Amino acid sequence: MVTGHEHTVKAFDEDIKHLRALISQMGGLSEQAIHDAMKALERNDTALAKEVRRKDRAIDAIEAEVEKLVVRVIALRAPMADDLREVVAALKIAAVVERIGDYAKNIAKRVPLVHTAGAERIEAISLLPAMARMASEMVHDVLDAFSARDAEAAIRVVERDNRLDDFYDSIFRTLVTYMVENPRTVSEVAHLLFVAKNIERIGDHATNVAEMVYFAATGQYLADRDPVETPGI
């Protein structure tokens, strides 16, 4: 015979599984958006860029579903301690992943603005996809860490953020040097600088999620990281 307590626990477990599934779905869509936005940039594919922007609405819709589910879980299940941390983390992570999708959409918006005469000769266009892959892998790995409640995996994501920042610094210097030497490309280079910054911010958000995952799994905060200065735009 199933007791009321057992039924409540089972119902809560199902809600948590659903939350994790929704976060995973959001993450998959955001990773695909990053991939497609960079492919559109490389190929000057304005149709694909528009598709990235259109599909962003699906990420927004899932975030809204997460918010409703979290409110319901807190109201009906009254989770405590570890369970409450995970539910609250899911709500915060959904908001961050939605923002990551926005960055991919912003990159897609730049596609028709970058590819004017001579822009294809700018070396950094060939470097940006590698930087984007690094950021996307951080997003993928940190959401896996959330699903598995893996604090150590979350730490490894945080540790990779400095490498992404270094990549950004290198691209920033390359683009600024190119712009100085080729004044006619100022407009195109400015858009590429914004693309690079969006990718760097995706990495920052993945790191923020990692800190949330660590707290949800352990109840402790990661030690404050030394701030890394990145060039402004």
Side-chain angles (χ1 to χ4, degrees), residues 4-232:
H5 175 71
E6 289 172 335
H7 176 76
T8 300
V9 170
K10 183 177 180 181
F12 178 78
D13 288 345
E14 290 300 318
D15 286 336
I16 290 295
K17 288 179 183 177
H18 190 194
L19 268 177
R20 289 175 179 168
L22 288 172
I23 297 296
S24 178
Q25 187 179 0
M26 283 187 75
L29 290 173
S30 294
E31 289 174 50
Q32 188 64 48
I34 297 167
H35 175 269
D36 289 346
M38 296 310 300
K39 182 190 293 185
L41 182 68
E42 287 182 276
R43 300 180 179 180
N44 190 22
D45 188 338
T46 55
L48 180 58
K50 288 180 181 178
E51 187 71 1
V52 171
R53 294 163 64 182
R54 185 186 66 80
K55 287 183 176 179
D56 184 65
R57 291 193 293 270
I59 299 175
D60 296 343
I62 298 173
E63 184 198 11
E65 189 174 350
V66 169
E67 290 176 355
K68 291 177 184 176
L69 180 55
V70 166
V71 169
R72 185 168 67 84
V73 168
I74 292 175
L76 297 180
R77 316 296 181 205
M80 302 292 289
D82 292 359
D83 293 333
L84 180 60
R85 288 201 308 271
E86 180 161 7
V87 171
V88 172
L91 179 62
K92 292 182 177 180
I93 289 169
V96 174
V97 176
E98 188 274 335
R99 187 63 183 137
I100 288 171
D102 285 344
Y103 283 122
K105 180 176 67 175
N106 289 344
I107 292 170
K109 287 180 179 178
R110 303 276 172 183
V111 170
L113 303 174
V114 167
H115 286 275
T116 56
E120 290 78 4
R121 294 195 300 271
I122 301 175
E123 179 187 2
I125 289 183
S126 64
L127 301 176
L128 286 169
M131 183 184 175
R133 282 193 295 272
M134 186 184 296
S136 185
E137 287 168 2
M138 289 173 66
V139 173
H140 177 86
D141 291 348
V142 79
L143 294 179
D144 279 355
F146 170 69
S147 181
R149 293 179 65 91
D150 189 336
E152 293 302 316
I155 291 173
R156 290 194 293 273
V157 171
V158 171
E159 291 171 345
R160 283 148 62 185
D161 188 50
N162 283 343
R163 296 206 302 271
L164 189 70
D165 289 340
D166 289 343
F167 208 152
Y168 170 73
D169 290 345
S170 176
I171 289 177
F172 181 90
R173 288 192 294 269
T174 298
L175 286 171
V176 170
T177 299
Y178 188 93
M179 182 168 54
V180 170
E181 295 174 350
N182 301 273
R184 292 182 180 180
T185 66
V186 168
S187 178
E188 293 88 346
V189 171
H191 291 302
L192 289 174
L193 285 168
F194 278 112
V195 169
K197 188 61 179 177
N198 283 330
I199 297 170
E200 188 264 345
R201 291 298 293 147
I202 288 171
D204 285 346
H205 280 304
T207 301
N208 291 341
V209 171
E211 292 171 349
M212 296 174 199
V213 170
Y214 185 87
F215 178 73
T218 67
Q220 298 178 336
Y221 292 101
L222 276 172
D224 290 339
R225 292 172 292 131
D226 292 334
V228 178
E229 294 185 5
T230 55

